[in-house]
Amino acid sequence: MLSIKLPQLFHSHQIPKVFREDSIISGYRRPHSSALDCVLSSFQLTNETLNIWTHFLPTWYFLWRLCALCSSMNVLSDSYTWPLLIYMLLICVYPFTSSCAHTFSSMSPESRHVCYFFDYGALSLYSLVGSVL
């Protein structure tokens, strides 16, 4: 039978300062984790688990709604639907980007900064386009 060992969790005093969050004492994943460890840690109770799943599940819901929209309307030929299509695409992208950021932020300090850069960028793009439309 397949046996998967979940990664060990740490307290805030056991990890480098760059990986710490204010007011979070325990539940940290190992710094410099592999991508597989990051994915496996999304199935255990860490300080990022809720963030990962509350962003990942809505991504699939909005993707399902986007597919339903595209199948019910001719969105490519009707230019009046383009703003809705762009908005729906961004509504799928920003929670997925956030889920990836929370999942892979413990790989290294550089990956943490890059992940959250894309997370904030996607959220800003969604906010900008949403306010214009």
Side-chain angles (χ1 to χ4, degrees):
M1 177 168 210
L2 180 62
S3 175
I4 298 175
K5 186 177 182 212
L6 295 174
Q8 178 184 0
L9 299 179
F10 297 95
H11 291 281
S12 62
H13 67 281
Q14 295 174 306
I15 62 166
K17 190 171 177 115
V18 70
F19 291 102
R20 291 185 206 159
E21 296 289 333
D22 293 338
S23 304
I24 297 179
I25 298 170
S26 65
Y28 288 95
R29 298 174 289 172
R30 181 175 55 87
H32 307 289
S33 298
S34 68
L36 180 61
D37 285 344
C38 291
V39 171
L40 289 176
S41 71
S42 65
F43 296 102
Q44 71 184 121
L45 193 57
T46 68
N47 61 354
E48 294 286 359
T49 305
L50 193 61
N51 287 325
I52 293 168
W53 288 105
T54 58
H55 292 96
F56 186 70
L57 295 176
T59 298
W60 292 104
Y61 171 75
F62 289 123
L63 194 59
W64 172 67
R65 296 300 297 165
L66 176 62
C67 290
L69 175 74
C70 290
S71 67
S72 67
M73 302 172 75
N74 192 1
V75 293
L76 296 179
S77 64
D78 186 7
S79 62
Y80 288 106
T81 62
W82 291 353
L84 178 61
L85 180 64
I86 292 168
Y87 183 72
M88 287 298 292
L89 282 171
L90 288 172
I91 244 176
C92 294
V93 167
Y94 94 83
F96 180 72
T97 316
S98 186
S99 176
C100 288
H102 288 286
T103 301
F104 299 109
S105 64
S106 67
M107 288 181 70
S108 71
E110 294 81 15
S111 71
R112 182 178 177 83
H113 294 301
V114 169
C115 285
Y116 286 115
F117 173 80
F118 281 111
D119 181 22
Y120 297 144
L123 182 59
S124 297
L125 186 62
Y126 165 74
S127 301
L128 175 68
V129 172
S131 67
V132 171
L133 297 176

